[in-house]
Amino acid sequence: MEHKKIWENYSSKQLKELEVLNKDYRDFLDNGKTERECVNVIVNMVEKSGYVELEERLKQGGKLKKGEKIYAVNMNKGILLFNIGEEPLEKGMNILGAHIDSPRMDIKSNPLYEDTDIAYLDTHYYGGVKKYQWVTIPLSLHGVVVKKDGTTVELSIGEDEDDPVFFVSDLLIHLSQEQLEKKAAKVIEGEALDIIVGNRPLTVKAKKGEEEKKEKDPVKAMVLKTLKDDYDIDEEDFLSAELEVVPAGKAREAGFDRSMILGYGQDDRVCAFTSLYAFLLCKDVKRTACCILVDKEEIGSVGATGMTSMFFENVIAELVNLEGKYSELTVRRALAASHMLSSDVSAAYDPSYASAFEKKNAAIMGAGMVFNKFTGSRGKSGSNDANAEFIAYIRKIMDDEKVVFQFAELGKVDLGGGGTIAYIMAKYGMNVIDAGVAVLNMHAPFEATSKADVYETMRGYVAFLGGCGM
Ligand SMILES: [Zn+2]
């Protein structure tokens, strides 16, 4: 199929909208480099738009009314948004669901050590990464350290120009003859991904008459002293910390024509942002609109903050209860009657690696919102396979609103593939299809997207939610 034109057809008003959206998008990427930071940013945004926290709403009591705006936060790492529609929940919701976790390196529980005058923090990478991409680039450290008394120290080091950054070393080319013989998966081993955090020893001047005190690991001691002085963190506090190492620096416009965005964490924050943006544009909706922004997708959607947890279902039960109609059957009906766009990225066709793709079923960067009827690989294994009837319904909505879209698969049939949260939601019996933005060099420290795709996808989400606001 011929790809539809995008850039050529935009009016000057649309081009302006596109630039505003993409500027906001870059800010979103810069301010939310971890799932916790994303949740903070989102809570600030939705509270300004009049959203009320579920706990607060439950305290207020009274029946749920149309037009109410509610949000629920899951352990500071996931968030659900609801715009209550005219119809009862039992009739189903229009759901957008994206994930806000991204591949990175997590700091281990006992991370700090010194070797030959260099201090390191030991890491365990999170999600699918090509490990060799993460060495010798400036890295920043984000996250929380929760102390025994319950206080939380929030860290974000390496983003301001005056901040220090961290890095993983790589062997110099002059001595790399053996390393370069290794397979790419083994060039940098997981245990070699430790970040360098110091090289200066702590010197303690001896008091008069006392002998000079020698630290066993003076460089490590210096790091610990800095952590204590600057953040009031002790070495044991790493035990109750969640610290993530991500590429330092801001998302940038890319290309002479500034047509693309290059930045960290676009899988899947590009879909999280566009979903959220579309969601907040919608004011009055017939069917209740729901936006799910969830954690742990990159490691299989497991755990209390992943899509497979009961959090989403529990919140729906609370809302049905607020409607005054609680029964298990009503909750099940609400879920089964829902429609969902699983807002997740797709792999953009890469001409430099053409052999990995089947071109006529590949997502082209700059050719619009991407729908994946199915993900999975090698015989569609593990895939949510969206229903033809539902796809026809979605096609009509998109065509009516003149959204430019394409249908794609993730790479060649036998070459691997990827999953999303679609199949987890599909188990409720609801119609779900993957829909999002094509990403070039997905899961690399810096990923690329097309500004036009960001814009079209946002428009597609708006159309899906009920054509509100546009
Ligand atoms: Zn991913």
Short mmCIF file of all heavy atoms in Angstrom, two decimals, residues 26 55 74 95 151 155 170-171 227 254 266 302 364 370:
data_model
loop_
_atom_site.label_atom_id
_atom_site.label_comp_id
_atom_site.label_asym_id
_atom_site.label_seq_id
_atom_site.Cartn_x
_atom_site.Cartn_y
_atom_site.Cartn_z
N ARG A 26 9.09 17.03 24.39
CA ARG A 26 10.49 17.00 24.83
C ARG A 26 10.61 17.35 26.31
O ARG A 26 11.40 16.75 27.05
CB ARG A 26 11.34 17.95 23.97
CG ARG A 26 11.71 17.33 22.62
CD ARG A 26 12.81 18.11 21.95
NE ARG A 26 12.30 19.37 21.44
CZ ARG A 26 12.93 20.55 21.55
NH1 ARG A 26 14.09 20.62 22.18
NH2 ARG A 26 12.41 21.63 21.03
N GLU A 55 -8.57 8.23 46.45
CA GLU A 55 -8.71 8.13 47.92
C GLU A 55 -9.53 9.32 48.44
O GLU A 55 -10.42 9.16 49.28
CB GLU A 55 -7.32 8.19 48.58
CG GLU A 55 -6.43 7.01 48.27
CD GLU A 55 -6.74 5.82 49.15
OE1 GLU A 55 -6.80 6.02 50.38
OE2 GLU A 55 -6.97 4.72 48.61
N ASN A 74 -0.49 4.25 41.70
CA ASN A 74 -0.07 2.94 42.22
C ASN A 74 1.41 2.98 42.62
O ASN A 74 2.30 2.95 41.77
CB ASN A 74 -0.30 1.88 41.14
CG ASN A 74 -0.02 0.47 41.63
OD1 ASN A 74 0.23 0.26 42.82
ND2 ASN A 74 -0.04 -0.48 40.72
N ILE A 95 -10.29 2.97 26.47
CA ILE A 95 -9.06 2.95 27.26
C ILE A 95 -7.83 3.17 26.38
O ILE A 95 -7.70 2.56 25.32
CB ILE A 95 -8.90 1.59 27.98
CG1 ILE A 95 -10.14 1.28 28.83
CG2 ILE A 95 -7.64 1.57 28.84
CD1 ILE A 95 -10.14 -0.12 29.45
N THR A 151 11.61 8.76 55.78
CA THR A 151 11.84 9.92 54.92
C THR A 151 12.45 9.45 53.59
O THR A 151 13.18 8.47 53.53
CB THR A 151 12.78 10.95 55.56
OG1 THR A 151 13.98 10.28 55.96
CG2 THR A 151 12.15 11.63 56.76
N LEU A 155 16.67 11.73 44.32
CA LEU A 155 17.91 12.09 43.66
C LEU A 155 17.69 12.28 42.16
O LEU A 155 16.94 11.55 41.52
CB LEU A 155 18.95 10.98 43.83
CG LEU A 155 19.52 10.73 45.22
CD1 LEU A 155 20.59 9.65 45.15
CD2 LEU A 155 20.11 11.99 45.81
N ASP A 170 35.07 1.55 28.79
CA ASP A 170 35.23 0.49 27.78
C ASP A 170 36.74 0.36 27.52
O ASP A 170 37.50 1.31 27.73
CB ASP A 170 34.47 0.86 26.50
CG ASP A 170 34.40 -0.32 25.51
OD1 ASP A 170 34.76 -1.44 25.89
OD2 ASP A 170 33.98 -0.08 24.37
N LEU A 171 37.13 -0.80 27.05
CA LEU A 171 38.55 -1.04 26.78
C LEU A 171 39.01 -0.20 25.59
O LEU A 171 38.31 -0.12 24.58
CB LEU A 171 38.73 -2.53 26.48
CG LEU A 171 40.16 -3.05 26.35
CD1 LEU A 171 40.96 -2.83 27.63
CD2 LEU A 171 40.13 -4.55 25.99
N LEU A 227 28.09 11.54 49.84
CA LEU A 227 26.69 11.14 49.94
C LEU A 227 26.09 11.60 51.27
O LEU A 227 24.95 12.05 51.33
CB LEU A 227 26.55 9.62 49.80
CG LEU A 227 26.71 9.05 48.39
CD1 LEU A 227 26.71 7.53 48.42
CD2 LEU A 227 25.59 9.55 47.46
N ALA A 254 16.12 16.56 15.90
CA ALA A 254 17.16 15.92 15.08
C ALA A 254 16.92 16.20 13.60
O ALA A 254 15.77 16.31 13.15
CB ALA A 254 17.18 14.41 15.34
N GLN A 266 11.94 7.02 24.81
CA GLN A 266 10.75 7.28 23.96
C GLN A 266 9.85 6.04 23.89
O GLN A 266 8.66 6.16 23.68
CB GLN A 266 11.19 7.73 22.58
CG GLN A 266 11.96 9.05 22.64
CD GLN A 266 11.92 9.79 21.30
OE1 GLN A 266 10.89 10.25 20.87
NE2 GLN A 266 13.07 9.89 20.65
N VAL A 302 5.11 -7.65 35.25
CA VAL A 302 4.92 -8.37 36.51
C VAL A 302 4.93 -7.42 37.71
O VAL A 302 5.21 -6.24 37.57
CB VAL A 302 6.03 -9.43 36.68
CG1 VAL A 302 5.83 -10.57 35.70
CG2 VAL A 302 7.39 -8.79 36.50
N ILE A 364 6.82 2.74 8.80
CA ILE A 364 7.74 3.70 8.22
C ILE A 364 7.74 4.97 9.08
O ILE A 364 6.67 5.50 9.41
CB ILE A 364 7.31 4.06 6.77
CG1 ILE A 364 7.09 2.80 5.93
CG2 ILE A 364 8.32 5.01 6.12
CD1 ILE A 364 8.30 1.95 5.70
N VAL A 370 0.91 4.04 13.98
CA VAL A 370 1.08 2.64 13.59
C VAL A 370 0.13 1.73 14.38
O VAL A 370 0.08 1.80 15.61
CB VAL A 370 2.52 2.16 13.89
CG1 VAL A 370 2.73 0.75 13.34
CG2 VAL A 370 3.55 3.12 13.34
#
